[in-house]
Amino acid sequence: MPKYNPQKIEKKWQKYWEAKKLYITKDVVGKKENRMLLTEFAYPSGNLHIGHWYAFSLPDIKARYLRMQGYNVFYPTGFDAFGLPAENAAIKHNIHPETWTRQNIAYMTRQLKSMGTMFDWSRKVSTIDPDYYQWTQWMFVEFYNAGLAYRAVTKVNWCPKDKTVLANEQVVNGKCDRCSSEVLQKDLAQWMFKITDFKDELIDDLTRLDWQETAKLGQINWIGRSEGAKIKFMLEIISGKPSKYFVEVFTTRPDTIFGATFIVISPELAKTWIKNGWKASEEVRGYIAKSLAKRELERQEAKEKTGVDTGVFAVNPASNEKISVWVADYVLGQYGTGAIMAVPTHDQRDREFAEKFHLPISDAPLKDKAQIMALLKNKGAGQDYKTYRLHDWILSRQRYWGVPIPMINCPVCGYMPVAKKELPVKLPPLKDFKPTDDGASPLAKATKWLQVKCPKCAGSAQRETDTMDTFVDSSWYFMRYADPNNTKEFAAKAKMKKWLPVFSYLGGAEHTTMHLLYSRFFIKALHKLGHVDFNEPFLNRRNRGIILGPDNQKMSKSRGNVIDPDGEVKKYGADAVRMYLAFMGPYLHGGSWNPGGITGVYRFLNRVWNFVGLYNSKVKPRAAVLGILNDYIKSIGTHISDLDFNTGVSDLMKLLNELESEQISKKEYETFLKLLAPFAPHIAEELWQNVLKNKTSIHLQAWPMHDSKLIVKEKVFLIVQINGKVRDKIEMAGGISQKQVEEIVLHTPKIKPWLEGKQIKKIIFIPNKLINIVV
RNA sequence: GCCGAGGUGGCGAAAUUGGCAACCGCACUAGCCUUAGGAGCUAGCGCUCGCAAGAGUUUGUGGGUUCGAGUCCCACCCUCGGCACCA
């Protein structure tokens, strides 16, 4: 037997599996149930990092296990290849984004194949292929026609460095989530998806999904449904004179209304009042102008509250008290009604404001919520109302490397979608694709491409020059896997029925409020339009943990703690890298890479390699050995199912430790290799075919049968406690009765002294486990 | 501030879900083997006392329930993640 040489055998078997088409997925395989196991497809950044290995090679353990369990498993992959980082990198390296991206895809495909996963490359999907993105465009047109995509001027987040608009979801603490520049607010006309149409379904349907609670809560928080009431306060513009005007406030606590001692409106609302003819004082106008000029971050970070008295009075509809109305920018224009009733006794912010401006603070008692609402409704001053944090999804980007938005703008007829038969609108090759400062898309420079005839009036019109946010591309990619080469539709319904909705989706927690939310919106919209038969994309979702560097910090070049997977594969092989990642901790928890740690699994694989000679066909193993093996079949399977790969590896190590000192026959050796196969597919295949001389792949074998009746408990260790403290462990035959145990225990020399001179009050006995004597 | 997850040896972690805390590894120590070792083998390894047998003690802190608590209940402290002048 030569030495264990992972580099040699891994390449060999990867070629063999490809040649034998082992991982080509068929839609129907006998009576087997189909299972799609989905992981988020890769962004072609140029190089695989440890995170990719964690994302792809560990779910592969489960994919292989499910296959051995008798399912028809589909483990797909592809590339999410449009996007801003590709474009920025291309600008930096002075090459075209398409060249850069295609090079990366080629290189990363080779790297991905070195993992030895059971990805079905024949169904690969890439979002930059016109065959793919014509359907992204088709969906946009569908949504547009249904009023689910529209163009409007709104306040948008503008990244001055990336020179494009960002979705709310892409702004983190007022900064661009890609480049960390401070985001500016601009009023621009943008294309939007009406995700808010589904805001309630997006919350309520979560209850029937098998998702991690944290992921569900993340979405619920993001949508931010807040249930309360709108309450009308009549206004007196000039002190003492009633008028027809009113202000409406939003509150989740109508029961505190008797404690409302003033009203605060946002500068945004005040501005619309002025627009509608309100004669505000110079001081008020000045304050509004100053507040609206503030950057969002400034407004958020303000330490002290600011505001001015409007001179307007409002009447509290519950108490009939006259209270003053203030403008202050701690009240937000875009949330609720843009106005609040201030209750200093119940709200910290209102209290701060009241104290600073010496406004009254009332400790009027709380009232019953239902009673108050009945009163207010009766007066015509109140109604139940829900408000949401979620905004519509701004999808247009003023950048080159994305899917062109398939719209035409005619100066006479206005905007209209490109006819479906004209799709795809291909992205024109452009030499100068750099973004501009003025918010114009680089595609505006594609002068020839730009000009079209208006389909309605035949006059000259222009194409839309904005491209789509990459998250549009990835909102439906998993459906394309079901039918990747279809030229008539994005996927045939019959094919989708085989694989969708996705049975199990494993991915990163960072996608909770973006990709996962967007995909759910897409499916709900497509379902509403009759294009898919299901209305949730992912039945089961788990977020994996993250892998940190040896210093327990996030891996980053600047910290110098990056582990290069290619280097590790060269040293220890893909099986060892996979298995070490699996061994580090529970999959949902993640772990940190310890350079010494991988040597542990590498040693284990070497021991597996050298274990070969120990089996002997003529030998009859002890019953106890069969029992142990039987236990591990069950426990390793359960651990893989639960994504507790770490304890699975641990079990394999324990099992080998036990078997190394035993006599086993070929059958037991085969079982051991099958249990190993999902974790270390290459070495298992090598031993299976070259040592055991099997002719078909180990990955086509069935998972060993667990025999629940095979309980081999010839002997048990019984724990002996006195007052709950362990004082002895006694080996005895299994199934022995309490009387017999007492007989033995009460006379053991170790126990006797503990009982001397004491009265036995109670004896707790748990068969085969424990006896506790209370004195 | 609100919501969520977590806190166990020098390190990664395990604990049949209320029944031997620390499995499996890493690191470390001693010995063997070796021309050599960043290879392999054997033994030890939570902490304290002890040559040892053994005893005491230990799962963030304090309390409670129980024959018995890492696990259940109450209060608090800390770390990480999400949301946040969201009314």
Side-chain angles (χ1 to χ4, degrees):
Chain A
M1 190 84 181
K3 263 181 79 176
Y4 174 47
N5 182 345
Q7 288 71 26
K8 210 168 135 193
I9 63 167
E10 287 175 1
K11 282 263 149 42
K12 179 175 82 183
W13 292 113
Q14 282 162 17
K15 276 186 198 150
Y16 169 89
W17 296 330
E18 201 162 346
K20 294 272 175 182
K21 299 188 176 5
L22 211 63
Y23 307 132
I24 303 287
T25 316
K26 295 196 183 106
D27 289 330
V28 179
V29 177
K31 285 197 173 138
K32 288 184 176 181
E33 264 181 71
N34 285 1
R35 286 276 189 274
M36 188 201 287
L37 206 153
L38 187 68
T39 56
E40 285 139 11
F41 57 168
Y43 184 80
S45 56
N47 209 353
L48 286 196
H49 50 77
I50 284 290
H52 288 113
W53 276 77
Y54 204 53
F56 302 137
S57 70
L58 267 61
D60 185 62
I61 296 172
K62 185 157 184 182
R64 287 175 186 279
Y65 169 69
L66 287 175
R67 188 179 200 183
M68 291 175 88
Q69 287 260 296
Y71 295 101
N72 181 31
V73 177
F74 179 20
Y75 190 43
T77 195
F79 287 98
D80 185 13
F82 271 127
L84 221 139
E87 201 181 312
N88 288 344
I91 292 169
K92 200 172 144 196
H93 297 112
N94 202 25
I95 50 172
H96 195 270
E98 174 145 21
T99 318
W100 193 83
T101 303
R102 295 216 181 265
Q103 275 172 8
N104 287 349
I105 289 178
Y107 184 70
M108 287 172 77
T109 299
R110 255 176 295 149
Q111 284 185 311
L112 282 168
K113 287 184 175 175
S114 80
M115 281 183 191
T117 64
M118 51 177 277
F119 279 141
D120 178 356
W121 287 96
S122 74
R123 294 196 187 211
K124 184 189 93 168
V125 154
S126 174
T127 57
I128 55 172
D129 290 340
D131 291 350
Y132 178 86
Y133 72 67
Q134 71 166 311
W135 300 111
T136 311
Q137 292 175 334
W138 180 89
M139 285 174 197
F140 179 91
V141 172
E142 277 290 306
F143 289 1
Y144 178 82
N145 290 337
L148 290 169
Y150 64 100
R151 186 174 171 84
V153 176
T154 52
K155 188 160 254 187
V156 299
N157 308 295
W158 173 264
C159 174
K161 187 162 174 232
D162 288 330
K163 296 172 185 170
T164 183
V165 158
L166 301 172
N168 260 355
E169 288 78 4
Q170 289 158 349
V171 180
V172 180
N173 295 326
K175 293 181 178 163
C176 171
D177 76 336
R178 290 262 175 239
C179 70
S180 300
S181 320
E182 186 179 328
V183 166
L184 305 177
Q185 309 291 310
K186 278 196 178 185
D187 286 315
L188 286 175
Q190 296 294 317
W191 291 99
M192 302 199 257
F193 281 138
K194 217 166 183 189
I195 190 169
T196 53
D197 261 18
F198 299 91
K199 57 201 175 188
D200 282 312
E201 285 171 65
L202 285 170
I203 290 179
D204 299 338
D205 290 352
L206 285 171
T207 52
R208 53 189 179 81
L209 297 180
D210 174 18
W211 284 28
Q212 244 162 308
E213 229 25 61
T214 48
K216 289 188 186 182
L217 279 165
Q219 293 207 343
I220 290 170
N221 282 339
W222 186 260
I223 297 166
R225 178 163 68 193
S226 180
E227 304 190 25
K230 267 207 256 193
I231 301 172
K232 261 186 211 175
F233 285 63
M234 295 313 290
L235 292 177
E236 294 177 6
I237 303 284
I238 303 154
S239 178
K241 252 191 189 168
S243 74
K244 59 180 177 169
Y245 298 107
F246 62 86
V247 61
E248 215 164 13
V249 303
F250 173 74
T251 180
T252 54
R253 297 291 306 274
D255 52 324
T256 64
I257 193 163
F258 283 95
T261 50
F262 56 100
I263 296 278
V264 186
I265 66 170
S266 61
E268 287 86 351
L269 182 60
K271 198 180 164 189
T272 64
W273 283 15
I274 290 173
K275 226 172 154 184
N276 293 333
W278 174 47
K279 306 257 180 302
S281 70
E282 273 314 304
E283 196 195 0
V284 169
R285 284 169 193 271
Y287 180 77
I288 294 169
K290 219 170 82 189
S291 292
L292 295 181
K294 274 188 194 169
R295 290 170 296 128
E296 196 70 0
L297 258 188
E298 264 181 305
R299 197 164 153 177
Q300 275 174 25
E301 284 168 353
K303 281 185 195 87
E304 215 172 295
K305 300 233 169 336
T306 59
V308 289
D309 192 346
T310 61
V312 175
F313 287 93
V315 179
N316 183 328
S319 67
N320 290 321
E321 276 173 321
K322 208 165 88 173
I323 58 179
S324 56
V325 177
W326 288 64
V327 198
D329 64 8
Y330 81 90
V331 174
L332 306 175
Q334 331 75 283
Y335 186 76
T337 58
I340 61 154
M341 58 176 202
V343 186
T345 34
H346 279 98
D347 188 289
Q348 185 58 33
R349 296 154 301 182
D350 296 346
R351 171 173 285 269
E352 274 171 40
F353 194 81
E355 280 171 356
K356 179 162 176 194
F357 293 101
H358 309 291
L359 290 160
I361 295 173
S362 153
D363 55 357
L366 285 183
K367 294 282 148 84
D368 179 72
K369 205 168 183 169
Q371 248 176 23
I372 279 289
M373 281 314 291
L375 173 84
L376 292 172
K377 280 178 192 170
N378 198 32
K379 279 192 164 182
Q383 67 182 97
D384 296 323
Y385 188 72
K386 288 176 199 163
T387 186
Y388 299 79
R389 224 189 65 98
L390 183 73
H391 298 292
D392 277 340
W393 172 13
I394 301 174
L395 71 107
S396 42
R397 295 291 178 274
Q398 293 70 45
R399 294 291 299 236
Y400 171 70
W401 192 232
V403 178
I405 295 176
M407 295 294 292
I408 291 169
N409 187 10
C410 169
V412 180
C413 314
Y415 277 102
M416 71 202 78
V418 172
K420 283 182 182 164
K421 63 176 193 298
E422 307 280 326
L423 298 177
V425 175
K426 285 198 189 168
L427 183 66
L430 254 193
K431 267 198 185 139
D432 178 15
F433 53 82
K434 289 192 182 104
T436 56
D437 285 317
D438 56 4
S441 170
L443 285 185
K445 288 179 245 170
T447 43
K448 247 195 182 161
W449 172 86
L450 204 61
Q451 302 303 327
V452 283
K453 222 197 244 173
C454 171
K456 275 190 198 157
C457 71
S460 68
Q462 288 206 331
R463 291 187 187 281
E464 168 62 51
T465 56
D466 282 358
T467 54
M468 296 189 205
D469 180 3
T470 327
F471 280 106
V472 182
D473 310 348
S474 57
S475 290
W476 70 278
Y477 76 104
F478 45 91
M479 296 195 285
R480 190 66 176 170
Y481 285 139
D483 195 5
N485 302 312
N486 197 325
T487 53
K488 302 270 187 302
E489 43 193 339
F490 64 86
K493 275 195 175 172
K495 294 260 189 180
M496 286 197 271
K497 207 168 204 138
K498 298 277 187 262
W499 298 109
L500 299 165
V502 173
F503 178 76
S504 173
Y505 196 7
L506 298 171
E510 70 277 14
H511 289 114
T512 302
T513 53
M514 295 203 259
H515 165 58
L516 293 178
L517 195 63
Y518 295 150
S519 294
R520 293 184 63 220
F521 158 69
F522 253 66
I523 294 319
K524 288 186 185 303
L526 289 170
H527 177 71
K528 193 178 168 190
L529 301 176
H531 299 306
V532 297
D533 293 332
F534 44 95
N535 71 352
E536 280 290 343
F538 316 123
L539 298 180
N540 166 289
R541 166 76 188 193
R542 293 289 182 274
N543 292 342
R544 63 168 180 270
I546 50 172
I547 300 298
L548 303 171
D551 52 358
N552 268 318
Q553 301 286 318
K554 241 181 154 172
M555 285 191 198
S556 76
K557 275 182 204 152
S558 56
R559 282 201 189 90
N561 61 352
V562 176
I563 302 292
D564 167 39
D566 286 354
E568 300 298 313
V569 171
K570 222 171 222 168
K571 264 195 249 172
Y572 305 106
D575 281 342
V577 172
R578 290 166 61 112
M579 222 169 169
Y580 177 50
L581 286 168
F583 191 44
M584 263 179 336
Y587 193 52
L588 305 192
H589 179 271
S592 49
W593 185 284
N594 176 347
I598 191 168
T599 59
V601 292
Y602 185 63
R603 272 176 210 153
F604 167 74
L605 290 172
N606 271 287
R607 278 171 52 209
V608 168
W609 186 259
N610 297 325
F611 178 55
V612 173
L614 291 176
Y615 84 88
N616 177 348
S617 340
K618 287 177 197 122
V619 125
K620 198 167 176 273
R622 297 195 301 129
V625 174
L626 296 177
I628 288 164
L629 205 50
N630 188 55
D631 286 347
Y632 279 117
I633 290 169
K634 187 174 181 196
S635 120
I636 291 172
T638 308
H639 288 318
I640 295 175
S641 266
D642 296 346
L643 304 174
D644 290 330
F645 302 126
N646 56 329
T647 41
V649 175
S650 164
D651 275 355
L652 283 167
M653 289 173 166
K654 282 190 244 181
L655 179 56
L656 184 65
N657 287 348
E658 305 232 30
L659 294 183
E660 272 178 331
S661 56
E662 291 286 347
Q663 293 274 300
I664 58 164
S665 74
K666 188 176 173 189
K667 190 165 173 283
E668 285 72 50
Y669 184 56
E670 282 180 350
T671 301
F672 175 76
L673 290 182
K674 286 179 192 169
L675 298 180
L676 176 71
F679 293 89
H682 306 89
I683 190 174
E685 185 79 288
E686 171 76 16
L687 297 169
W688 177 259
Q689 295 208 28
N690 272 6
V691 174
L692 292 179
K693 305 294 174 204
N694 287 299
K695 292 283 178 282
T696 51
S697 169
I698 191 167
H699 303 295
L700 297 174
Q701 308 306 313
W703 190 252
M705 289 293 287
H706 166 72
D707 183 355
S708 55
K709 275 172 266 166
L710 183 63
I711 302 160
V712 184
K713 278 231 173 89
E714 356 178 66
K715 273 176 185 171
V716 292
F717 272 100
L718 199 95
I719 298 145
V720 186
Q721 296 183 330
I722 312 288
N723 289 339
K725 287 206 178 225
V726 181
R727 294 300 175 191
D728 201 5
K729 295 161 199 177
I730 303 175
E731 193 181 16
M732 47 181 73
I736 193 168
S737 77
Q738 175 167 357
K739 265 234 167 84
Q740 290 170 295
V741 171
E742 281 176 27
E743 197 71 17
I744 298 164
V745 167
L746 297 178
H747 296 96
T748 349
K750 255 191 183 170
I751 294 303
K752 263 177 150 174
W754 292 102
L755 300 175
E756 243 153 58
K758 286 181 183 144
Q759 194 71 34
I760 293 176
K761 288 184 192 142
K762 200 177 187 181
I763 293 179
I764 314 280
F765 179 71
I766 300 183
N768 292 332
K769 231 174 213 172
L770 167 141
I771 181 163
N772 185 12
I773 302 161
V774 185
V775 293

